[in-house]
Amino acid sequence: MLPDEELGEEKGHACHEVSPQTTPEVEMLDAYSRAVIAVVDAVGPAVVSLFTSGNPSHGGVEQQGAGSGVILAPDGYLLTNSHVVGKSKQLRTVFTSGQKTTAAVVGRDPDTDLAVLRAEATALPYATLGDSSQLRVGQLVIAMGNPLGFESTVSTGVISALGRTFRSQNGRLIENVIQHTAPLNPGNSGGPLLDSRGRVIGINTAIIAAAQGIGFAIPANTAKWVVSHLIRHGRVKRSYLGIHARDRKLDRRLARLHRLEQETAAEIMMVDPQGPASKAGLKEGDLVVAIDEKPLFSVDDLQRSLAEHKPGIAVRLMFIRRLELLNVMIEPVEAN
């Protein structure tokens, strides 16, 4: 029997040890890995596990659910999904350090599937809400949460679309949603979607069970004004116009024609036949560019303006229909 060395030489093969190769592709992958690791190290301690309890089942066993959340302030305020909280009487928060505490519901907003809780703890690590208006399709994103009960799970992907809409559990459309490819599973709900700098750009809210690689997140800019209202009032007080809209890029020639400041507007996708907008004559396809003389740059701007506006007091909407710039007065009602 020949030694291995001689056997290799006899067959005409040079024997050598397999070793890692340094190539531009490998270096790019290393940079990608370092970016993800840095985000996980920085933001991971601010991501929490949530366990909710409901009424006992018919067998007398208390039903439990699990979700995720992200701490927004050192004094215990944290953000999650409204559907994670549900109508639970008790919530338990488990931090990555292993610390456990209870959390009280500060407020819920089913219309955006967001909720604010306050954990009974202080001096907590916390994350920062970024500017979701700057997001681009193809951008790297990182999802963190507790899918299927596995704590501190990380997945990555890219933004695959912006301005999506889907229906919340109460049947209302959630607008301007981020669609991404970071894998999600039950339990990821309420966890943060992060950019490569570790800023929270969205709150993961749902998956389509029949599809693979499709996840959704409520954008951070929506979360900012929802959080402020929930902390102040325990709910979001909205004026209701009876429209559903999405962000739409304006044709530059159209913007120049009407001397508009912005590059985007809120395109009306659906009009409630019984709502104030329908009575005022607004139609699908209209591009809303201003409210009470203030330019609208996105659906978030429209929602924010309505949240700050008292129902029953008329507002002036400026909109484009085909090539014509029009104005209309609408008296919003209070949203249910």
Side-chain angles (χ1 to χ4, degrees):
M1 199 73 174
L2 292 172
D4 289 344
E5 293 82 356
E6 294 182 15
L7 185 61
E9 292 174 1
E10 183 180 281
K11 292 184 178 181
H13 297 295
C15 296
H16 63 276
E17 180 183 359
V18 176
S19 60
Q21 300 297 309
T22 301
T23 65
E25 290 80 7
V26 171
E27 291 177 355
M28 281 196 302
L29 286 173
D30 283 346
Y32 174 88
S33 297
R34 288 194 295 271
V36 174
I37 291 169
V39 170
V40 172
D41 288 345
V43 184
V47 181
V48 301
S49 302
L50 294 174
F51 296 90
T52 63
S53 302
N55 295 322
S57 66
H58 294 299
V61 179
E62 194 173 36
Q63 301 295 307
Q64 290 190 336
S68 307
V70 58
I71 304 169
L72 298 181
D75 54 355
Y77 283 106
L78 62 93
L79 184 60
T80 185
N81 285 151
S82 175
H83 79 261
V84 168
V85 175
K87 297 181 180 180
S88 301
K89 295 180 179 180
Q90 294 181 340
L91 294 104
R92 291 186 294 114
T93 304
V94 181
F95 302 94
T96 55
S97 63
Q99 179 185 1
K100 299 178 181 179
T101 185
T102 58
V105 179
V106 175
R108 297 172 56 232
D109 184 43
D111 288 353
T112 55
D113 196 23
L114 294 173
V116 172
L117 312 178
R118 190 169 190 180
E120 294 184 0
T122 57
L124 296 172
Y126 62 96
T128 301
L129 290 172
D131 182 2
S132 55
S133 69
Q134 301 300 313
L135 298 179
R136 301 288 298 275
V137 172
Q139 179 177 334
L140 167 69
V141 291
I142 303 161
M144 297 185 68
N146 309 289
L148 303 173
F150 294 102
E151 294 183 8
S152 305
T153 299
V154 178
S155 58
T156 63
V158 297
I159 294 174
S160 49
L162 297 167
R164 295 299 198 207
T165 61
F166 66 83
R167 293 196 180 275
S168 62
Q169 288 188 331
N170 65 357
R172 295 179 65 88
L173 282 180
I174 301 178
E175 301 165 328
N176 215 30
V177 174
I178 301 167
Q179 180 182 324
H180 62 86
T181 62
L184 301 177
N185 285 288
N188 268 115
S189 289
L193 186 70
L194 305 153
D195 65 11
S196 57
R197 296 185 179 182
R199 297 170 297 196
V200 179
I201 55 173
I203 299 297
N204 290 312
T205 188
I207 57 172
I208 299 176
Q212 294 184 358
I214 300 178
F216 296 100
I218 305 301
N221 286 4
T222 298
K224 288 177 184 177
W225 66 265
V226 169
V227 167
S228 65
H229 277 264
L230 293 181
I231 291 176
R232 287 202 304 265
H233 309 297
R235 66 186 182 93
V236 177
K237 299 178 180 180
R238 289 184 178 85
S239 290
Y240 178 67
L241 294 179
I243 61 174
H244 296 293
R246 69 175 180 181
D247 290 350
R248 170 73 179 272
K249 190 173 182 63
L250 284 175
D251 185 288
R252 290 184 180 179
R253 293 169 296 180
L254 195 60
R256 285 199 299 267
L257 174 64
H258 297 297
R259 299 179 181 178
L260 299 175
E261 300 178 18
Q262 68 264 47
E263 297 180 352
T264 54
E267 180 184 17
I268 296 177
M269 302 299 295
M270 188 173 71
V271 180
D272 179 355
Q274 307 301 320
S278 177
K279 296 176 182 178
L282 286 174
K283 299 178 179 179
E284 294 180 15
D286 289 344
L287 301 173
V288 183
V289 295
I291 182 169
D292 285 339
E293 312 301 331
K294 296 179 181 178
L296 293 179
F297 296 88
S298 66
V299 174
D300 286 337
D301 289 343
L302 179 59
Q303 291 177 332
R304 190 177 300 109
S305 295
L306 291 175
E308 296 171 353
H309 191 87
K310 293 182 178 180
I313 299 177
V315 297
R316 180 186 297 276
L317 287 189
M318 181 183 295
F319 64 97
I320 297 173
R321 179 175 294 167
R322 298 185 181 90
L323 297 177
E324 191 175 3
L325 184 65
L326 302 171
N327 286 274
V328 65
M329 295 297 294
I330 305 179
E331 187 175 306
V333 297
E334 184 170 358
N336 293 327

PDB file of all heavy atoms in Angstrom, residues 155-176:
ATOM      1  N   SER A 155     -32.577  37.924  11.390  1.00  0.00           N
ATOM      2  CA  SER A 155     -32.654  37.564   9.979  1.00  0.00           C
ATOM      3  C   SER A 155     -32.408  38.813   9.157  1.00  0.00           C
ATOM      4  O   SER A 155     -32.614  39.937   9.626  1.00  0.00           O
ATOM      5  CB  SER A 155     -34.014  36.944   9.631  1.00  0.00           C
ATOM      6  OG  SER A 155     -35.071  37.827   9.946  1.00  0.00           O
ATOM      7  N   THR A 156     -31.948  38.629   7.934  1.00  0.00           N
ATOM      8  CA  THR A 156     -31.622  39.767   7.080  1.00  0.00           C
ATOM      9  C   THR A 156     -32.308  39.648   5.725  1.00  0.00           C
ATOM     10  O   THR A 156     -32.724  38.565   5.317  1.00  0.00           O
ATOM     11  CB  THR A 156     -30.101  39.893   6.857  1.00  0.00           C
ATOM     12  OG1 THR A 156     -29.637  38.717   6.163  1.00  0.00           O
ATOM     13  CG2 THR A 156     -29.371  40.037   8.168  1.00  0.00           C
ATOM     14  N   GLY A 157     -32.404  40.767   5.046  1.00  0.00           N
ATOM     15  CA  GLY A 157     -33.002  40.792   3.723  1.00  0.00           C
ATOM     16  C   GLY A 157     -32.859  42.173   3.139  1.00  0.00           C
ATOM     17  O   GLY A 157     -31.986  42.950   3.550  1.00  0.00           O
ATOM     18  N   VAL A 158     -33.730  42.491   2.185  1.00  0.00           N
ATOM     19  CA  VAL A 158     -33.725  43.822   1.579  1.00  0.00           C
ATOM     20  C   VAL A 158     -35.154  44.345   1.516  1.00  0.00           C
ATOM     21  O   VAL A 158     -36.114  43.580   1.601  1.00  0.00           O
ATOM     22  CB  VAL A 158     -33.125  43.807   0.151  1.00  0.00           C
ATOM     23  CG1 VAL A 158     -31.671  43.376   0.179  1.00  0.00           C
ATOM     24  CG2 VAL A 158     -33.950  42.905  -0.773  1.00  0.00           C
ATOM     25  N   ILE A 159     -35.275  45.653   1.384  1.00  0.00           N
ATOM     26  CA  ILE A 159     -36.590  46.241   1.140  1.00  0.00           C
ATOM     27  C   ILE A 159     -36.987  45.901  -0.290  1.00  0.00           C
ATOM     28  O   ILE A 159     -36.262  46.211  -1.240  1.00  0.00           O
ATOM     29  CB  ILE A 159     -36.559  47.761   1.343  1.00  0.00           C
ATOM     30  CG1 ILE A 159     -36.295  48.085   2.819  1.00  0.00           C
ATOM     31  CG2 ILE A 159     -37.872  48.401   0.889  1.00  0.00           C
ATOM     32  CD1 ILE A 159     -36.114  49.555   3.104  1.00  0.00           C
ATOM     33  N   SER A 160     -38.117  45.245  -0.435  1.00  0.00           N
ATOM     34  CA  SER A 160     -38.556  44.833  -1.769  1.00  0.00           C
ATOM     35  C   SER A 160     -39.614  45.756  -2.348  1.00  0.00           C
ATOM     36  O   SER A 160     -39.825  45.761  -3.560  1.00  0.00           O
ATOM     37  CB  SER A 160     -39.073  43.390  -1.739  1.00  0.00           C
ATOM     38  OG  SER A 160     -39.998  43.194  -0.698  1.00  0.00           O
ATOM     39  N   ALA A 161     -40.299  46.531  -1.508  1.00  0.00           N
ATOM     40  CA  ALA A 161     -41.291  47.491  -2.000  1.00  0.00           C
ATOM     41  C   ALA A 161     -41.640  48.458  -0.881  1.00  0.00           C
ATOM     42  O   ALA A 161     -41.515  48.138   0.306  1.00  0.00           O
ATOM     43  CB  ALA A 161     -42.550  46.780  -2.487  1.00  0.00           C
ATOM     44  N   LEU A 162     -42.090  49.641  -1.256  1.00  0.00           N
ATOM     45  CA  LEU A 162     -42.541  50.660  -0.307  1.00  0.00           C
ATOM     46  C   LEU A 162     -43.962  51.086  -0.664  1.00  0.00           C
ATOM     47  O   LEU A 162     -44.402  50.927  -1.800  1.00  0.00           O
ATOM     48  CB  LEU A 162     -41.607  51.871  -0.336  1.00  0.00           C
ATOM     49  CG  LEU A 162     -40.155  51.625   0.098  1.00  0.00           C
ATOM     50  CD1 LEU A 162     -39.275  52.803  -0.286  1.00  0.00           C
ATOM     51  CD2 LEU A 162     -40.083  51.373   1.596  1.00  0.00           C
ATOM     52  N   GLY A 163     -44.677  51.622   0.319  1.00  0.00           N
ATOM     53  CA  GLY A 163     -46.017  52.124   0.051  1.00  0.00           C
ATOM     54  C   GLY A 163     -47.080  51.058  -0.091  1.00  0.00           C
ATOM     55  O   GLY A 163     -48.128  51.294  -0.692  1.00  0.00           O
ATOM     56  N   ARG A 164     -46.855  49.879   0.454  1.00  0.00           N
ATOM     57  CA  ARG A 164     -47.849  48.808   0.396  1.00  0.00           C
ATOM     58  C   ARG A 164     -49.005  49.108   1.348  1.00  0.00           C
ATOM     59  O   ARG A 164     -48.892  49.891   2.282  1.00  0.00           O
ATOM     60  CB  ARG A 164     -47.233  47.463   0.770  1.00  0.00           C
ATOM     61  CG  ARG A 164     -46.177  46.960  -0.193  1.00  0.00           C
ATOM     62  CD  ARG A 164     -46.733  46.745  -1.558  1.00  0.00           C
ATOM     63  NE  ARG A 164     -45.875  45.883  -2.355  1.00  0.00           N
ATOM     64  CZ  ARG A 164     -45.799  45.918  -3.666  1.00  0.00           C
ATOM     65  NH1 ARG A 164     -46.534  46.783  -4.342  1.00  0.00           N
ATOM     66  NH2 ARG A 164     -45.002  45.095  -4.319  1.00  0.00           N
ATOM     67  N   THR A 165     -50.134  48.440   1.115  1.00  0.00           N
ATOM     68  CA  THR A 165     -51.274  48.506   2.034  1.00  0.00           C
ATOM     69  C   THR A 165     -51.785  47.098   2.293  1.00  0.00           C
ATOM     70  O   THR A 165     -51.699  46.230   1.430  1.00  0.00           O
ATOM     71  CB  THR A 165     -52.435  49.353   1.463  1.00  0.00           C
ATOM     72  OG1 THR A 165     -52.893  48.755   0.240  1.00  0.00           O
ATOM     73  CG2 THR A 165     -51.996  50.780   1.191  1.00  0.00           C
ATOM     74  N   PHE A 166     -52.278  46.864   3.501  1.00  0.00           N
ATOM     75  CA  PHE A 166     -53.009  45.624   3.785  1.00  0.00           C
ATOM     76  C   PHE A 166     -53.949  45.892   4.944  1.00  0.00           C
ATOM     77  O   PHE A 166     -53.839  46.897   5.637  1.00  0.00           O
ATOM     78  CB  PHE A 166     -52.068  44.449   4.068  1.00  0.00           C
ATOM     79  CG  PHE A 166     -51.239  44.562   5.322  1.00  0.00           C
ATOM     80  CD1 PHE A 166     -51.750  44.205   6.554  1.00  0.00           C
ATOM     81  CD2 PHE A 166     -49.933  45.008   5.257  1.00  0.00           C
ATOM     82  CE1 PHE A 166     -50.986  44.304   7.696  1.00  0.00           C
ATOM     83  CE2 PHE A 166     -49.159  45.107   6.393  1.00  0.00           C
ATOM     84  CZ  PHE A 166     -49.692  44.757   7.615  1.00  0.00           C
ATOM     85  N   ARG A 167     -54.870  44.993   5.155  1.00  0.00           N
ATOM     86  CA  ARG A 167     -55.905  45.214   6.164  1.00  0.00           C
ATOM     87  C   ARG A 167     -55.457  44.740   7.537  1.00  0.00           C
ATOM     88  O   ARG A 167     -54.864  43.677   7.680  1.00  0.00           O
ATOM     89  CB  ARG A 167     -57.205  44.499   5.768  1.00  0.00           C
ATOM     90  CG  ARG A 167     -57.838  45.105   4.540  1.00  0.00           C
ATOM     91  CD  ARG A 167     -59.294  44.678   4.366  1.00  0.00           C
ATOM     92  NE  ARG A 167     -59.838  45.293   3.166  1.00  0.00           N
ATOM     93  CZ  ARG A 167     -60.350  46.514   3.125  1.00  0.00           C
ATOM     94  NH1 ARG A 167     -60.385  47.247   4.225  1.00  0.00           N
ATOM     95  NH2 ARG A 167     -60.817  47.009   1.994  1.00  0.00           N
ATOM     96  N   SER A 168     -55.763  45.547   8.535  1.00  0.00           N
ATOM     97  CA  SER A 168     -55.482  45.174   9.916  1.00  0.00           C
ATOM     98  C   SER A 168     -56.558  44.202  10.392  1.00  0.00           C
ATOM     99  O   SER A 168     -57.510  43.897   9.667  1.00  0.00           O
ATOM    100  CB  SER A 168     -55.471  46.420  10.811  1.00  0.00           C
ATOM    101  OG  SER A 168     -56.747  47.038  10.797  1.00  0.00           O
ATOM    102  N   GLN A 169     -56.411  43.723  11.616  1.00  0.00           N
ATOM    103  CA  GLN A 169     -57.374  42.753  12.135  1.00  0.00           C
ATOM    104  C   GLN A 169     -58.764  43.349  12.313  1.00  0.00           C
ATOM    105  O   GLN A 169     -59.748  42.618  12.338  1.00  0.00           O
ATOM    106  CB  GLN A 169     -56.873  42.182  13.464  1.00  0.00           C
ATOM    107  CG  GLN A 169     -55.686  41.240  13.295  1.00  0.00           C
ATOM    108  CD  GLN A 169     -55.324  40.538  14.588  1.00  0.00           C
ATOM    109  OE1 GLN A 169     -55.535  41.060  15.671  1.00  0.00           O
ATOM    110  NE2 GLN A 169     -54.771  39.344  14.470  1.00  0.00           N
ATOM    111  N   ASN A 170     -58.857  44.675  12.413  1.00  0.00           N
ATOM    112  CA  ASN A 170     -60.180  45.285  12.543  1.00  0.00           C
ATOM    113  C   ASN A 170     -60.785  45.663  11.193  1.00  0.00           C
ATOM    114  O   ASN A 170     -61.825  46.300  11.124  1.00  0.00           O
ATOM    115  CB  ASN A 170     -60.125  46.513  13.464  1.00  0.00           C
ATOM    116  CG  ASN A 170     -59.285  47.629  12.891  1.00  0.00           C
ATOM    117  OD1 ASN A 170     -58.682  47.491  11.824  1.00  0.00           O
ATOM    118  ND2 ASN A 170     -59.228  48.756  13.585  1.00  0.00           N
ATOM    119  N   GLY A 171     -60.093  45.251  10.113  1.00  0.00           N
ATOM    120  CA  GLY A 171     -60.649  45.453   8.775  1.00  0.00           C
ATOM    121  C   GLY A 171     -60.224  46.728   8.088  1.00  0.00           C
ATOM    122  O   GLY A 171     -60.486  46.900   6.896  1.00  0.00           O
ATOM    123  N   ARG A 172     -59.557  47.649   8.780  1.00  0.00           N
ATOM    124  CA  ARG A 172     -59.129  48.911   8.165  1.00  0.00           C
ATOM    125  C   ARG A 172     -57.801  48.717   7.439  1.00  0.00           C
ATOM    126  O   ARG A 172     -56.982  47.877   7.829  1.00  0.00           O
ATOM    127  CB  ARG A 172     -58.995  50.004   9.223  1.00  0.00           C
ATOM    128  CG  ARG A 172     -60.306  50.383   9.878  1.00  0.00           C
ATOM    129  CD  ARG A 172     -60.095  51.448  10.943  1.00  0.00           C
ATOM    130  NE  ARG A 172     -59.640  52.689  10.361  1.00  0.00           N
ATOM    131  CZ  ARG A 172     -60.449  53.649   9.907  1.00  0.00           C
ATOM    132  NH1 ARG A 172     -61.757  53.486   9.976  1.00  0.00           N
ATOM    133  NH2 ARG A 172     -59.972  54.757   9.398  1.00  0.00           N
ATOM    134  N   LEU A 173     -57.600  49.492   6.397  1.00  0.00           N
ATOM    135  CA  LEU A 173     -56.356  49.412   5.646  1.00  0.00           C
ATOM    136  C   LEU A 173     -55.230  50.098   6.419  1.00  0.00           C
ATOM    137  O   LEU A 173     -55.393  51.218   6.897  1.00  0.00           O
ATOM    138  CB  LEU A 173     -56.505  50.066   4.278  1.00  0.00           C
ATOM    139  CG  LEU A 173     -57.232  49.270   3.189  1.00  0.00           C
ATOM    140  CD1 LEU A 173     -57.273  50.086   1.911  1.00  0.00           C
ATOM    141  CD2 LEU A 173     -56.553  47.938   2.936  1.00  0.00           C
ATOM    142  N   ILE A 174     -54.101  49.422   6.532  1.00  0.00           N
ATOM    143  CA  ILE A 174     -52.881  50.031   7.049  1.00  0.00           C
ATOM    144  C   ILE A 174     -52.092  50.480   5.830  1.00  0.00           C
ATOM    145  O   ILE A 174     -51.807  49.688   4.926  1.00  0.00           O
ATOM    146  CB  ILE A 174     -52.062  49.047   7.901  1.00  0.00           C
ATOM    147  CG1 ILE A 174     -52.886  48.551   9.084  1.00  0.00           C
ATOM    148  CG2 ILE A 174     -50.774  49.714   8.393  1.00  0.00           C
ATOM    149  CD1 ILE A 174     -52.164  47.538   9.933  1.00  0.00           C
ATOM    150  N   GLU A 175     -51.742  51.762   5.794  1.00  0.00           N
ATOM    151  CA  GLU A 175     -51.160  52.356   4.591  1.00  0.00           C
ATOM    152  C   GLU A 175     -49.655  52.561   4.732  1.00  0.00           C
ATOM    153  O   GLU A 175     -49.104  52.597   5.825  1.00  0.00           O
ATOM    154  CB  GLU A 175     -51.842  53.692   4.303  1.00  0.00           C
ATOM    155  CG  GLU A 175     -53.356  53.561   4.102  1.00  0.00           C
ATOM    156  CD  GLU A 175     -54.076  54.888   4.187  1.00  0.00           C
ATOM    157  OE1 GLU A 175     -53.610  55.750   4.952  1.00  0.00           O
ATOM    158  OE2 GLU A 175     -55.086  55.053   3.493  1.00  0.00           O
ATOM    159  N   ASN A 176     -49.018  52.692   3.567  1.00  0.00           N
ATOM    160  CA  ASN A 176     -47.605  53.068   3.504  1.00  0.00           C
ATOM    161  C   ASN A 176     -46.693  52.053   4.188  1.00  0.00           C
ATOM    162  O   ASN A 176     -45.707  52.412   4.835  1.00  0.00           O
ATOM    163  CB  ASN A 176     -47.404  54.457   4.118  1.00  0.00           C
ATOM    164  CG  ASN A 176     -46.325  55.231   3.405  1.00  0.00           C
ATOM    165  OD1 ASN A 176     -46.104  55.045   2.216  1.00  0.00           O
ATOM    166  ND2 ASN A 176     -45.637  56.100   4.126  1.00  0.00           N
TER     167      ASN A 176
END
